[in-house]
Amino acid sequence: MMKRILIIIGFFVGIQGLHSQTLSCKIEGTLINQAAYRYAYLYFNDSKSTLLTEIKDNHFLFETPQPGIFTTAQIFLGFDSLKTLQDLVKERRMGINGVRPVVVENLKIIVNTDMPNAKIFGSDLNRDLDEMYQAVKSLEYKNFIAQHLDSPVSLHLIDTLSKVNKVKLPFGESVQYDVEGFYNMLSDQIKASTYGKKVWNNISKK
C-alpha cells in the first residue's frame, strides 16, 4: 500500500515529456446533472498554476497556450471562485468531489456522475494516461509499458518508479523496481527523445 501511495503522489506532481504541438488548445467541458457547480478549474501540475473559468449553461471552456512539452493538468469543479487545489485535497479526504487528470491538448470532457469518472475525448495520450492509472491500481507496470512502448506516459511511469526506488520507507526498507529493464523495453525513438534522455539520466543517478 505504501508503494502505491508513493507512486500516485509522483503522478500528482506532474508529467513532462515530448510531443511539441500547436500554439494553443481548447478544453471544452459539458456538465450533466451537475447544475450546482459554478466554476471549473484547470491546475497545471508542472507550473502549479491554476486557470479559472465560469460554467455557463452547463458548459465551460479553457483556452490556453499549448505547452511546448508534454504536460498534464487536473480539472476540478467548485461552487465559488476562491477554491484552491489545497481545498480540494481536504475535501477528497472526506470523500467529496474529485479531480480528472488530463493531458493538456485539444479535448472535450463530459461530466455525468462525478469528475473522476468524466469521459475524455482527446488523443491517444489521454487514453494512455487513463490506462496508466488503471495499471497503477493493479500494479501492472510491466504490462502497461509493454503495450505502450512509444508513449511518453510510459516514460513518466518509469521516471516515477525510479524516484520511488530512492525513497526510504519506515524501518529502513526501500522499494526496488526494475526501472532499467522497463526503460530498455521502450522503442529507440522514445529513448532518443529529450524526455527519454532525461529519464535515463534520472535512472542513472544513484
Side-chain angles (χ1 to χ4, degrees):
M1 178 61 71
M2 179 63 72
K3 298 178 184 179
R4 193 178 306 176
I5 291 173
L6 289 172
I7 294 166
I8 291 174
I9 289 173
F11 296 138
F12 199 69
V13 170
I15 288 179
Q16 294 184 356
L18 58 156
H19 288 284
S20 219
Q21 300 181 11
T22 56
L23 296 178
S24 64
C25 66
K26 293 182 179 180
I27 298 177
E28 303 176 61
T30 300
L31 277 61
I32 301 174
N33 300 322
Q34 304 284 335
Y37 292 110
R38 296 182 56 200
Y39 296 92
Y41 300 78
L42 182 67
Y43 178 85
F44 292 91
N45 295 315
D46 53 351
S47 65
K48 296 180 173 57
S49 59
T50 304
L51 292 181
L52 168 69
T53 188
E54 189 174 0
I55 298 171
K56 297 180 179 179
D57 298 323
N58 294 317
H59 290 83
F60 63 84
L61 171 66
F62 293 106
E63 190 164 6
T64 177
Q66 175 70 51
I69 54 177
F70 180 82
T71 303
T72 58
Q74 300 172 66
I75 301 175
F76 58 98
L77 306 175
F79 302 105
D80 59 64
S81 61
L82 301 177
K83 193 179 188 70
T84 66
L85 186 66
Q86 288 71 30
D87 295 330
L88 184 65
V89 169
K90 294 177 183 178
E91 291 181 357
R92 291 182 71 188
R93 291 171 183 165
M94 298 183 291
I96 303 173
N97 206 337
V99 301
R100 185 63 163 87
V102 298
V103 175
V104 178
E105 61 171 353
N106 288 312
L107 62 84
K108 295 184 178 181
I109 178 170
I110 297 178
V111 187
N112 193 351
T113 54
D114 56 17
M115 182 56 79
N117 293 310
K119 299 297 183 183
I120 297 290
F121 299 90
S123 74
D124 290 346
L125 294 176
N126 268 291
R127 181 206 63 194
D128 291 352
L129 189 68
D130 286 345
E131 292 178 358
M132 182 201 71
Y133 277 101
Q134 292 301 316
V136 168
K137 291 179 182 178
S138 58
L139 307 180
E140 295 288 341
Y141 313 124
K142 186 175 182 179
N143 287 344
F144 173 81
I145 294 167
Q147 295 170 15
H148 302 81
L149 299 179
D150 295 306
S151 176
V153 180
S154 290
L155 280 172
H156 177 63
L157 173 59
I158 294 168
D159 195 32
T160 301
L161 294 176
S162 174
K163 293 173 183 176
V164 171
N165 278 353
K166 300 172 184 177
V167 174
K168 294 295 183 181
L169 297 176
F171 310 108
E173 298 178 358
S174 62
V175 182
Q176 291 301 313
Y177 295 103
D178 183 17
V179 291
E180 291 190 22
F182 292 160
Y183 184 88
N184 288 331
M185 292 171 58
L186 298 174
S187 69
D188 291 339
Q189 180 181 1
I190 198 168
K191 286 188 288 187
S193 68
T194 301
Y195 188 41
K197 293 176 181 178
K198 178 181 177 182
V199 171
W200 177 250
N201 288 336
N202 291 341
I203 291 173
S204 301
K205 293 178 182 178
K206 302 299 182 182

